[in-house]
């Protein structure tokens, strides 16, 4: 079945769905409405949408097909007139499956018969039963007399059970098999080599850190620090997504891409949801760096830049990178945010052409501005990342295992409130230079001293030249 192009709008009493299905017979249209679920089938097209509030089919509902334009317009009545249906422009959210019912029905217990026990003296029965208790039973009895304070200790966690040598990776660890033949591809950013399918998470992190140490170049950093005229131009460049003032609206091309996104239900735990928000920071940082250094005009190297700067891509190593917080999706501590951005800062200082701590700080400010704009702008940035990766012969794989699912999750599951709270935290965050681990402050001090000595040397040379010149004739 083909998913047609469609758009949704609403009035005070109804929801209007416009579906593009050219060259069909209107008599073959099948429409079904089941509370929040709307579906339409007209061979070869099928569309199923899940709205936020119930709809009804009544005399005011209608379906009109215009063969000249190929559009089928379906008008559905709101069950509650005046109720606002939010996010009608988020097509991926409308296409997402209806959430599963998490609370199973409780079993019904029926009393079939009762029997009365013979009456005996309660004290005698307690004394006789106490004498028959085992040691464990005596402990329980003592605990009952002491407000159930049983002696207890935290059990050791069981190791995860692996039935295969393959390790899963990607969004919510849902993917595998994408790197089985990686030796036959020209994947320059893959830091795990042929072990990508079997490398456990802890070893991925160790390899990533070792590779960053190998790629770190003090001379490159000092040269960019000394001659930063063009880098300062990049830092001053205004990001159009964070400074736009016009009303937000997805383009026709973006809507077409969203129609082709996977339609999955993501059953993430609170801890996994928390980690997804942290991983989103690393993706947006890589996007911000690529956008700022190309001034929103992608180059053939843009896919390499995105993949190299994202630890979840190059080493299959997403956050968290250190400090753990309680499983609250909307609670982010300064320590874990610093750990997350430290990984991105290190990569921006070790791999790409422009290696500047000030440029990394500007990219972090871009991330905060994008998050404050909400899920629509964040989704647009991810769609741009997807477009860049999809057009690369090798790095498209990172779109399959990360970006596609992230686009759906942002539109259908992420919270605007959490994104804005996270944006505020990122905006005020301070990433210390000593957290990078490469002695940046010492290198910058040496660079400034060398520049000062060069200036003094130039002044002395000029004085020496003046002394060597013949005195002017009187």
């Amino acid at each position: 079945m083909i998913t047609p192009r469609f758009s949704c709008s609403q009035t005070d009493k109804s929801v209007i769905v416009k579906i593009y299905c050219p060259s069909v017979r209107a008599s073959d249209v099948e429409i079904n409405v089941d509370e929040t679920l709307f579906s339409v089938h007209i061979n070869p097209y099928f569309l199923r949408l899940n709205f936020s509030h119930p709809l009804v089919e009544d005399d005011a509902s209608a379906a009109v097909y215009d063969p000249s334009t190929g559009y089928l317009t379906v008008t559905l009545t709101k069950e509650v007139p005046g109720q606002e249906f939010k996010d009608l422009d988020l097509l991926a959210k409308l296409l997402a499956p209806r959430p599963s019912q998490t609370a199973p029905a409780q079993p019904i217990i029926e009393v079939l018969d009762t029997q009365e026990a013979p009456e005996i003296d309660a004290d005698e029965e307690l004394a006789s039963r106490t004498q028959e208790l085992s040691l464990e039973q005596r402990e329980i009895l003592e605990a009952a007399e002491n407000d159930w304070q049983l002696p207890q200790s935290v059990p050791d966690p069981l190791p995860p059970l692996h039935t295969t040598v393959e390790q899963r990776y990607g969004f919510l660890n849902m993917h595998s098999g994408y790197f089985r033949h990686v030796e036959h591809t020209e994947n320059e950013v893959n830091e795990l080599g042929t072990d990508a399918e079997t490398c456990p998470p802890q070893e991925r992190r160790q390899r990533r850190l070792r590779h960053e140490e190998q790629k770190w170049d003090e001379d490159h950093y000092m040269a960019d620090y000394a001659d930063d005229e063009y880098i300062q131009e990049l830092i001053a460049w205004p990001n159009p997504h964070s400074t736009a003032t016009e009303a937000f609206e997805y383009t026709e091309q973006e809507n077409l891409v969203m129609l082709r996104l996977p339609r999955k239900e993501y059953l993430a735990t609170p801890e996994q949801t928390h980690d997804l928000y942290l991983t989103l920071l690393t993706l947006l940082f890589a996007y911000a760096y690529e956008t700022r250094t190309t001034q929103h005009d992608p180059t053939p190297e843009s896919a390499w830049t995105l993949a190299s700067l994202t630890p979840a891509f190059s080493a299959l190593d997403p956050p968290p990178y250190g400090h753990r917080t309680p499983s609250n999706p909307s609670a982010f501590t300064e320590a874990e945010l610093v750990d997350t951005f430290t990984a991105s800062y290190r990569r921006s200082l070790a791999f790409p052409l422009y290696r500047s701590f000030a440029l990394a700080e500007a990219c972090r400010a871009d991330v905060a501005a994008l998050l404050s704009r909400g899920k629509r702008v964040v989704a647009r940035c991810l769609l741009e990342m997807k477009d860049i990766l999809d057009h690369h012969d090798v790095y498209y794989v990172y779109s399959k295992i990360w970006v596609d699912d992230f686009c759906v999750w942002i539109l259908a599951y992420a919270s605007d409130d959490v994104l804005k709270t996270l944006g505020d935290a990122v905006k005020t965050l301070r990433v210390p230079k000593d957290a990078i681990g490469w002695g940046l402050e010492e290198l910058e001090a040496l660079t400034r001293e060398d520049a000062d000595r060069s200036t003094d040397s130039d002044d002395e040379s000029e004085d020496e030249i003046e002394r060597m010149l013949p005195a002017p004739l009187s």
Side-chain angles (χ1 to χ4, degrees):
M1 289 293 180
I2 301 174
T3 300
R5 288 184 293 165
F6 72 96
S7 62
C8 298
S9 59
Q10 63 181 314
T11 65
D12 189 54
K13 297 182 179 180
S14 60
V15 172
I16 300 97
V17 183
K18 293 189 66 176
I19 306 168
Y20 182 66
C21 46
S23 305
V24 298
R25 290 192 298 179
S27 58
D28 294 340
V29 176
E30 299 177 10
I31 297 175
N32 182 58
V33 178
D34 180 14
E35 294 184 346
T36 62
L37 196 64
F38 162 76
S39 62
V40 56
H41 172 239
I42 178 170
N43 197 38
Y45 301 101
F46 178 77
L47 181 66
R48 180 181 59 202
L49 305 178
N50 187 31
F51 292 100
S52 55
H53 302 293
L55 298 165
V56 294
E57 282 188 286
D58 57 10
D59 295 338
S61 301
V64 179
Y65 181 68
D66 185 353
S68 63
T69 62
Y71 276 95
L72 172 66
T73 303
V74 182
T75 303
L76 302 169
T77 304
K78 296 179 179 179
E79 186 176 80
V80 180
Q83 191 172 45
E84 182 183 4
F85 281 55
K86 295 183 178 180
D87 299 336
L88 291 181
D89 60 327
L90 303 184
L91 305 189
K93 182 175 183 179
L94 297 175
L95 290 168
R98 178 184 289 180
S100 303
Q101 298 294 329
T102 57
Q106 297 296 322
I108 299 176
I109 301 176
E110 180 181 1
V111 179
L112 300 178
D113 190 17
T114 59
Q115 293 182 354
E116 294 189 5
E119 294 184 3
I120 60 175
D121 185 76
D123 295 335
E124 292 180 2
E125 181 185 14
L126 180 60
S128 62
R129 290 189 177 184
T130 302
Q131 294 176 357
E132 299 173 358
L133 293 178
S134 64
L135 177 60
E136 180 180 359
Q137 292 170 327
R138 289 179 182 275
E139 289 180 352
I140 294 176
L141 182 61
E142 293 175 0
E145 296 175 352
N146 191 28
D147 196 23
W148 290 101
Q149 300 296 318
L150 279 170
Q152 55 188 346
S153 60
V154 178
D156 296 331
L158 295 175
L161 178 63
H162 295 292
T163 59
T164 177
V165 295
E166 285 191 349
Q167 299 284 336
R168 303 186 71 83
Y169 44 76
F171 190 89
L172 293 179
N173 286 327
M174 296 170 54
H175 302 282
S176 64
Y178 283 89
F179 299 95
R180 286 175 183 165
H181 307 291
V182 69
E183 67 271 16
H184 303 301
T185 65
E186 297 180 2
N187 191 333
E188 298 177 356
V189 304
N190 173 31
E191 299 176 7
L192 306 179
T194 57
D195 299 329
E197 290 292 330
T198 58
C199 192
Q202 188 58 36
E203 186 176 347
R204 295 174 193 168
R205 184 156 303 173
Q206 293 172 359
R207 292 195 185 189
R208 172 178 66 82
L209 294 174
R210 285 199 300 267
H211 191 234
E212 291 169 359
E213 294 292 339
Q214 294 170 2
K215 297 296 292 185
W216 164 245
D217 187 341
E218 293 183 353
D219 294 337
H220 193 144
Y221 180 79
M222 295 172 71
D224 280 354
Y225 183 79
D227 184 11
D228 66 342
E229 181 178 355
Y230 184 66
I231 291 178
Q232 291 300 326
E233 292 181 11
L234 298 178
I235 293 174
W237 178 78
N239 190 309
H241 290 330
S242 58
T243 58
T245 57
E246 63 272 11
F248 184 90
E249 184 177 358
Y250 285 116
T251 64
E252 184 68 20
Q253 180 62 30
E254 289 171 333
N255 284 329
L256 288 175
V257 174
M258 285 191 283
L259 289 179
R260 294 192 292 267
L261 290 173
R263 297 170 197 173
K264 299 178 183 177
E265 181 180 1
Y266 301 105
L267 302 178
T269 65
E271 185 176 272
Q272 289 175 324
T273 301
H274 181 89
D275 294 346
L276 286 177
Y277 282 112
L278 294 179
T279 305
L280 176 64
L281 297 180
T282 64
L283 268 66
L284 290 179
F285 181 92
Y287 168 82
Y289 183 97
E290 192 282 327
T291 304
R292 186 166 286 279
T293 53
T294 62
Q295 299 189 359
H296 210 198
D297 185 15
T299 70
E301 296 297 322
S302 293
W304 178 91
T305 302
L306 292 173
S308 296
L309 296 190
T310 309
F313 292 0
S314 56
L316 304 178
D317 182 28
Y321 296 127
H323 298 80
R324 252 299 174 193
T325 61
S327 55
N328 181 356
S330 59
F332 302 93
T333 65
E334 180 179 356
E336 66 179 345
L337 292 180
V338 169
D339 289 338
T340 301
F341 277 101
T342 295
S344 294
Y345 276 42
R346 282 171 60 91
R347 301 193 73 80
S348 72
L349 297 176
F351 293 95
L353 177 60
Y354 305 110
R355 305 180 186 181
S356 164
F357 189 87
L359 180 59
E361 288 278 83
C363 294
R364 177 185 56 79
D366 287 342
V367 173
L370 296 173
L371 291 170
S372 66
R373 291 291 182 122
K375 65 170 67 176
R376 286 168 175 79
V377 171
V378 172
R380 170 166 283 174
C381 298
L382 293 176
L383 290 173
E384 291 182 8
M385 286 186 68
K386 171 179 168 59
D387 183 65
I388 293 173
L389 294 170
D390 283 350
H391 285 84
H392 195 278
D393 293 339
V394 178
Y395 304 145
Y396 74 91
V397 66
Y398 299 114
S399 182
K400 299 299 181 185
I401 67 176
W402 277 112
V403 184
D404 284 359
D405 293 302
F406 247 116
C407 289
V408 177
W409 181 79
I410 282 292
L411 292 168
Y413 297 89
S415 165
D416 269 327
D417 293 336
V418 175
L419 291 175
K420 292 176 181 178
T421 300
L422 184 57
D424 293 339
V426 171
K427 182 178 180 180
T428 59
L429 186 68
R430 294 293 177 266
V431 180
K433 291 183 179 180
D434 57 3
I436 308 301
W438 288 330
L440 301 184
E441 292 182 341
E442 291 80 357
L443 294 177
E444 293 172 1
L446 289 174
T447 305
R448 290 193 297 269
E449 291 176 5
D450 184 68
D452 293 340
R453 284 197 299 269
S454 298
T455 302
D456 294 341
S457 177
D458 292 340
D459 294 340
E460 292 175 0
S461 299
E462 292 178 0
D463 294 340
E464 183 68 21
I465 292 172
E466 290 179 358
R467 285 195 298 269
M468 294 175 62
L469 291 175
L473 296 176
S474 58

